[in-house]
Amino acid sequence: MYPGRFEYHAPATLDEALAALDRYGDDAKVLAGGQSLIPLMKLRFASPRALVDVNRVPGLDGFAEEGGELRLGALVRHKDCERSSMLGGRWGVLGDAAPQISDPLVRNLGTVAGSLAHADPQGDWGSALMAAGARVVARGSGGTREIALDDLFEGPFTTTLEPTEVITEVRVPDPGPKAGGTYLKLERKVGDFATVAVAVHVSFSDGAVGRAGIALTGVGPRNLRARAAEEALSGKTLDDEAIGEAGRLAAEAAEPRDDVRGSADYKRNVVRVFVERGLRKAREV
């Protein structure tokens, strides 16, 4: 199928982009990588009146560590993360997630910020960044605000972004000098959506868990945080008993459904196993 008719805007500045979004409101969509939006338009699941292409807007492609904080601009592609030497060690959960995003064609064009704005409950970046405690910077004509990922995702393909706002940056806080984690994904074939995936990110202080982030992909109406599991680990030594309890609590936090990929019980068990594996890897730092 072909998409419906639309107006195309290629602003040269962020202010021009925001002005276009103000003009069209709900009838406009921001175009960055387009790897989710364009297929939806071709199937006519989305028929925006206008596309606002931000690829020519300067200053949105920053990718740097500043003051220990990781900052990813709105035009940072999946491939940039996959190839970056920064996304390892204490940000290992992000480094492990990057090469598992879809396939190379999508990773070449798709953006991290665009994935978050799309809010697919099977989106890998949503869980990886949620576990790392990330937040997004959203800018509209009324100003700029920061939104924690917990508060960004509302439900399937739904966020708290206003129609006239655009994500300009993703910020990941400093996890401290000793931190580790990983992203584990069960998929039917390479490049597929996750049947189940788990993001684990742990910061250590004096040999104990300072902060634990555990987020789940594909087992609920949005990317889910396993809060009870995180809280159970706080201040604990990451021994086998603590790891087993966290895995059990994370499985309870999952909200899977029976489908052709597996039963709900099977998916909960995968969550448990992945959380335990992820925590064991995290304690190796």
Side-chain angles (χ1 to χ4, degrees), residues 236-257:
K236 300 285 184 63
T237 300
L238 202 54
D239 56 22
D240 289 344
E241 182 180 353
I243 288 173
E245 178 66 3
R248 183 187 67 80
L249 291 171
E252 289 182 356
E255 303 173 15
R257 293 185 177 183

PDB file of all heavy atoms in Angstrom, residues 236-257:
ATOM      1  N   LYS A 236      21.807  -4.968  49.663  1.00  0.00           N
ATOM      2  CA  LYS A 236      22.145  -6.386  49.871  1.00  0.00           C
ATOM      3  C   LYS A 236      23.447  -6.750  49.169  1.00  0.00           C
ATOM      4  O   LYS A 236      23.825  -6.146  48.168  1.00  0.00           O
ATOM      5  CB  LYS A 236      21.032  -7.281  49.326  1.00  0.00           C
ATOM      6  CG  LYS A 236      19.665  -7.085  49.965  1.00  0.00           C
ATOM      7  CD  LYS A 236      19.624  -7.706  51.349  1.00  0.00           C
ATOM      8  CE  LYS A 236      18.221  -7.596  51.947  1.00  0.00           C
ATOM      9  NZ  LYS A 236      17.211  -8.332  51.171  1.00  0.00           N
ATOM     10  N   THR A 237      24.102  -7.762  49.698  1.00  0.00           N
ATOM     11  CA  THR A 237      25.188  -8.390  48.972  1.00  0.00           C
ATOM     12  C   THR A 237      24.578  -9.244  47.863  1.00  0.00           C
ATOM     13  O   THR A 237      23.586  -9.940  48.089  1.00  0.00           O
ATOM     14  CB  THR A 237      26.026  -9.281  49.905  1.00  0.00           C
ATOM     15  OG1 THR A 237      26.556  -8.471  50.954  1.00  0.00           O
ATOM     16  CG2 THR A 237      27.167  -9.941  49.142  1.00  0.00           C
ATOM     17  N   LEU A 238      25.168  -9.182  46.688  1.00  0.00           N
ATOM     18  CA  LEU A 238      24.566  -9.869  45.555  1.00  0.00           C
ATOM     19  C   LEU A 238      24.980 -11.342  45.560  1.00  0.00           C
ATOM     20  O   LEU A 238      25.704 -11.829  44.696  1.00  0.00           O
ATOM     21  CB  LEU A 238      24.986  -9.185  44.245  1.00  0.00           C
ATOM     22  CG  LEU A 238      24.078  -9.411  43.017  1.00  0.00           C
ATOM     23  CD1 LEU A 238      22.641  -9.035  43.341  1.00  0.00           C
ATOM     24  CD2 LEU A 238      24.588  -8.596  41.846  1.00  0.00           C
ATOM     25  N   ASP A 239      24.456 -12.076  46.543  1.00  0.00           N
ATOM     26  CA  ASP A 239      24.745 -13.507  46.641  1.00  0.00           C
ATOM     27  C   ASP A 239      23.640 -14.294  45.951  1.00  0.00           C
ATOM     28  O   ASP A 239      22.661 -13.734  45.452  1.00  0.00           O
ATOM     29  CB  ASP A 239      24.904 -13.934  48.100  1.00  0.00           C
ATOM     30  CG  ASP A 239      23.696 -13.584  48.973  1.00  0.00           C
ATOM     31  OD1 ASP A 239      22.582 -13.399  48.420  1.00  0.00           O
ATOM     32  OD2 ASP A 239      23.850 -13.492  50.199  1.00  0.00           O
ATOM     33  N   ASP A 240      23.803 -15.608  45.923  1.00  0.00           N
ATOM     34  CA  ASP A 240      22.844 -16.444  45.200  1.00  0.00           C
ATOM     35  C   ASP A 240      21.431 -16.347  45.771  1.00  0.00           C
ATOM     36  O   ASP A 240      20.443 -16.407  45.025  1.00  0.00           O
ATOM     37  CB  ASP A 240      23.308 -17.905  45.210  1.00  0.00           C
ATOM     38  CG  ASP A 240      24.520 -18.142  44.326  1.00  0.00           C
ATOM     39  OD1 ASP A 240      24.816 -17.262  43.483  1.00  0.00           O
ATOM     40  OD2 ASP A 240      25.169 -19.196  44.465  1.00  0.00           O
ATOM     41  N   GLU A 241      21.323 -16.199  47.086  1.00  0.00           N
ATOM     42  CA  GLU A 241      19.994 -16.091  47.688  1.00  0.00           C
ATOM     43  C   GLU A 241      19.293 -14.814  47.240  1.00  0.00           C
ATOM     44  O   GLU A 241      18.105 -14.836  46.880  1.00  0.00           O
ATOM     45  CB  GLU A 241      20.111 -16.109  49.214  1.00  0.00           C
ATOM     46  CG  GLU A 241      18.764 -16.051  49.918  1.00  0.00           C
ATOM     47  CD  GLU A 241      18.885 -16.079  51.437  1.00  0.00           C
ATOM     48  OE1 GLU A 241      20.009 -16.278  51.942  1.00  0.00           O
ATOM     49  OE2 GLU A 241      17.848 -15.914  52.113  1.00  0.00           O
ATOM     50  N   ALA A 242      20.013 -13.692  47.253  1.00  0.00           N
ATOM     51  CA  ALA A 242      19.424 -12.420  46.830  1.00  0.00           C
ATOM     52  C   ALA A 242      19.064 -12.464  45.348  1.00  0.00           C
ATOM     53  O   ALA A 242      18.015 -11.948  44.926  1.00  0.00           O
ATOM     54  CB  ALA A 242      20.398 -11.278  47.111  1.00  0.00           C
ATOM     55  N   ILE A 243      19.922 -13.082  44.561  1.00  0.00           N
ATOM     56  CA  ILE A 243      19.660 -13.193  43.123  1.00  0.00           C
ATOM     57  C   ILE A 243      18.410 -14.036  42.870  1.00  0.00           C
ATOM     58  O   ILE A 243      17.553 -13.679  42.056  1.00  0.00           O
ATOM     59  CB  ILE A 243      20.887 -13.793  42.410  1.00  0.00           C
ATOM     60  CG1 ILE A 243      22.018 -12.761  42.374  1.00  0.00           C
ATOM     61  CG2 ILE A 243      20.531 -14.245  40.997  1.00  0.00           C
ATOM     62  CD1 ILE A 243      23.331 -13.296  41.843  1.00  0.00           C
ATOM     63  N   GLY A 244      18.276 -15.145  43.556  1.00  0.00           N
ATOM     64  CA  GLY A 244      17.108 -15.998  43.380  1.00  0.00           C
ATOM     65  C   GLY A 244      15.817 -15.299  43.754  1.00  0.00           C
ATOM     66  O   GLY A 244      14.802 -15.420  43.065  1.00  0.00           O
ATOM     67  N   GLU A 245      15.850 -14.542  44.855  1.00  0.00           N
ATOM     68  CA  GLU A 245      14.649 -13.811  45.285  1.00  0.00           C
ATOM     69  C   GLU A 245      14.286 -12.729  44.280  1.00  0.00           C
ATOM     70  O   GLU A 245      13.108 -12.517  43.972  1.00  0.00           O
ATOM     71  CB  GLU A 245      14.884 -13.208  46.670  1.00  0.00           C
ATOM     72  CG  GLU A 245      13.732 -12.373  47.215  1.00  0.00           C
ATOM     73  CD  GLU A 245      12.471 -13.170  47.498  1.00  0.00           C
ATOM     74  OE1 GLU A 245      12.480 -14.409  47.334  1.00  0.00           O
ATOM     75  OE2 GLU A 245      11.465 -12.546  47.884  1.00  0.00           O
ATOM     76  N   ALA A 246      15.290 -12.022  43.753  1.00  0.00           N
ATOM     77  CA  ALA A 246      15.016 -10.980  42.756  1.00  0.00           C
ATOM     78  C   ALA A 246      14.410 -11.584  41.498  1.00  0.00           C
ATOM     79  O   ALA A 246      13.481 -11.011  40.904  1.00  0.00           O
ATOM     80  CB  ALA A 246      16.305 -10.235  42.420  1.00  0.00           C
ATOM     81  N   GLY A 247      14.904 -12.743  41.082  1.00  0.00           N
ATOM     82  CA  GLY A 247      14.340 -13.402  39.912  1.00  0.00           C
ATOM     83  C   GLY A 247      12.884 -13.778  40.126  1.00  0.00           C
ATOM     84  O   GLY A 247      12.045 -13.605  39.233  1.00  0.00           O
ATOM     85  N   ARG A 248      12.568 -14.270  41.305  1.00  0.00           N
ATOM     86  CA  ARG A 248      11.185 -14.647  41.616  1.00  0.00           C
ATOM     87  C   ARG A 248      10.268 -13.428  41.599  1.00  0.00           C
ATOM     88  O   ARG A 248       9.165 -13.472  41.027  1.00  0.00           O
ATOM     89  CB  ARG A 248      11.133 -15.320  42.988  1.00  0.00           C
ATOM     90  CG  ARG A 248       9.748 -15.825  43.394  1.00  0.00           C
ATOM     91  CD  ARG A 248       9.728 -16.334  44.819  1.00  0.00           C
ATOM     92  NE  ARG A 248       9.936 -15.256  45.783  1.00  0.00           N
ATOM     93  CZ  ARG A 248       8.969 -14.417  46.170  1.00  0.00           C
ATOM     94  NH1 ARG A 248       7.755 -14.509  45.657  1.00  0.00           N
ATOM     95  NH2 ARG A 248       9.225 -13.477  47.061  1.00  0.00           N
ATOM     96  N   LEU A 249      10.720 -12.348  42.212  1.00  0.00           N
ATOM     97  CA  LEU A 249       9.896 -11.139  42.268  1.00  0.00           C
ATOM     98  C   LEU A 249       9.725 -10.504  40.886  1.00  0.00           C
ATOM     99  O   LEU A 249       8.648  -9.975  40.568  1.00  0.00           O
ATOM    100  CB  LEU A 249      10.526 -10.134  43.230  1.00  0.00           C
ATOM    101  CG  LEU A 249      10.494 -10.524  44.708  1.00  0.00           C
ATOM    102  CD1 LEU A 249      11.351  -9.564  45.542  1.00  0.00           C
ATOM    103  CD2 LEU A 249       9.056 -10.536  45.237  1.00  0.00           C
ATOM    104  N   ALA A 250      10.757 -10.561  40.064  1.00  0.00           N
ATOM    105  CA  ALA A 250      10.646 -10.015  38.711  1.00  0.00           C
ATOM    106  C   ALA A 250       9.639 -10.814  37.886  1.00  0.00           C
ATOM    107  O   ALA A 250       8.853 -10.236  37.119  1.00  0.00           O
ATOM    108  CB  ALA A 250      12.012 -10.012  38.035  1.00  0.00           C
ATOM    109  N   ALA A 251       9.654 -12.135  38.050  1.00  0.00           N
ATOM    110  CA  ALA A 251       8.684 -12.966  37.335  1.00  0.00           C
ATOM    111  C   ALA A 251       7.260 -12.610  37.747  1.00  0.00           C
ATOM    112  O   ALA A 251       6.340 -12.616  36.913  1.00  0.00           O
ATOM    113  CB  ALA A 251       8.978 -14.442  37.598  1.00  0.00           C
ATOM    114  N   GLU A 252       7.060 -12.297  39.020  1.00  0.00           N
ATOM    115  CA  GLU A 252       5.730 -11.904  39.495  1.00  0.00           C
ATOM    116  C   GLU A 252       5.300 -10.563  38.912  1.00  0.00           C
ATOM    117  O   GLU A 252       4.105 -10.308  38.722  1.00  0.00           O
ATOM    118  CB  GLU A 252       5.727 -11.826  41.026  1.00  0.00           C
ATOM    119  CG  GLU A 252       5.799 -13.169  41.723  1.00  0.00           C
ATOM    120  CD  GLU A 252       5.734 -13.032  43.233  1.00  0.00           C
ATOM    121  OE1 GLU A 252       5.716 -11.879  43.733  1.00  0.00           O
ATOM    122  OE2 GLU A 252       5.704 -14.074  43.920  1.00  0.00           O
ATOM    123  N   ALA A 253       6.276  -9.684  38.620  1.00  0.00           N
ATOM    124  CA  ALA A 253       5.952  -8.368  38.070  1.00  0.00           C
ATOM    125  C   ALA A 253       5.544  -8.426  36.603  1.00  0.00           C
ATOM    126  O   ALA A 253       4.891  -7.510  36.101  1.00  0.00           O
ATOM    127  CB  ALA A 253       7.148  -7.435  38.232  1.00  0.00           C
ATOM    128  N   ALA A 254       5.923  -9.497  35.904  1.00  0.00           N
ATOM    129  CA  ALA A 254       5.598  -9.635  34.487  1.00  0.00           C
ATOM    130  C   ALA A 254       4.095  -9.809  34.289  1.00  0.00           C
ATOM    131  O   ALA A 254       3.401 -10.367  35.144  1.00  0.00           O
ATOM    132  CB  ALA A 254       6.355 -10.817  33.890  1.00  0.00           C
ATOM    133  N   GLU A 255       3.611  -9.341  33.145  1.00  0.00           N
ATOM    134  CA  GLU A 255       2.193  -9.448  32.803  1.00  0.00           C
ATOM    135  C   GLU A 255       2.038 -10.075  31.421  1.00  0.00           C
ATOM    136  O   GLU A 255       1.420  -9.497  30.528  1.00  0.00           O
ATOM    137  CB  GLU A 255       1.541  -8.062  32.825  1.00  0.00           C
ATOM    138  CG  GLU A 255       1.669  -7.322  34.155  1.00  0.00           C
ATOM    139  CD  GLU A 255       1.162  -5.897  34.074  1.00  0.00           C
ATOM    140  OE1 GLU A 255       0.449  -5.565  33.093  1.00  0.00           O
ATOM    141  OE2 GLU A 255       1.485  -5.107  34.971  1.00  0.00           O
ATOM    142  N   PRO A 256       2.593 -11.268  31.210  1.00  0.00           N
ATOM    143  CA  PRO A 256       2.558 -11.874  29.874  1.00  0.00           C
ATOM    144  C   PRO A 256       1.202 -12.482  29.550  1.00  0.00           C
ATOM    145  O   PRO A 256       0.365 -12.699  30.431  1.00  0.00           O
ATOM    146  CB  PRO A 256       3.635 -12.950  29.964  1.00  0.00           C
ATOM    147  CG  PRO A 256       3.586 -13.381  31.399  1.00  0.00           C
ATOM    148  CD  PRO A 256       3.285 -12.132  32.191  1.00  0.00           C
ATOM    149  N   ARG A 257       1.021 -12.777  28.270  1.00  0.00           N
ATOM    150  CA  ARG A 257      -0.173 -13.468  27.795  1.00  0.00           C
ATOM    151  C   ARG A 257       0.236 -14.708  27.009  1.00  0.00           C
ATOM    152  O   ARG A 257       1.306 -14.750  26.393  1.00  0.00           O
ATOM    153  CB  ARG A 257      -1.007 -12.552  26.891  1.00  0.00           C
ATOM    154  CG  ARG A 257      -1.625 -11.356  27.621  1.00  0.00           C
ATOM    155  CD  ARG A 257      -2.520 -10.578  26.693  1.00  0.00           C
ATOM    156  NE  ARG A 257      -3.192  -9.471  27.352  1.00  0.00           N
ATOM    157  CZ  ARG A 257      -4.081  -8.662  26.759  1.00  0.00           C
ATOM    158  NH1 ARG A 257      -4.385  -8.863  25.482  1.00  0.00           N
ATOM    159  NH2 ARG A 257      -4.645  -7.682  27.430  1.00  0.00           N
TER     160      ARG A 257
END
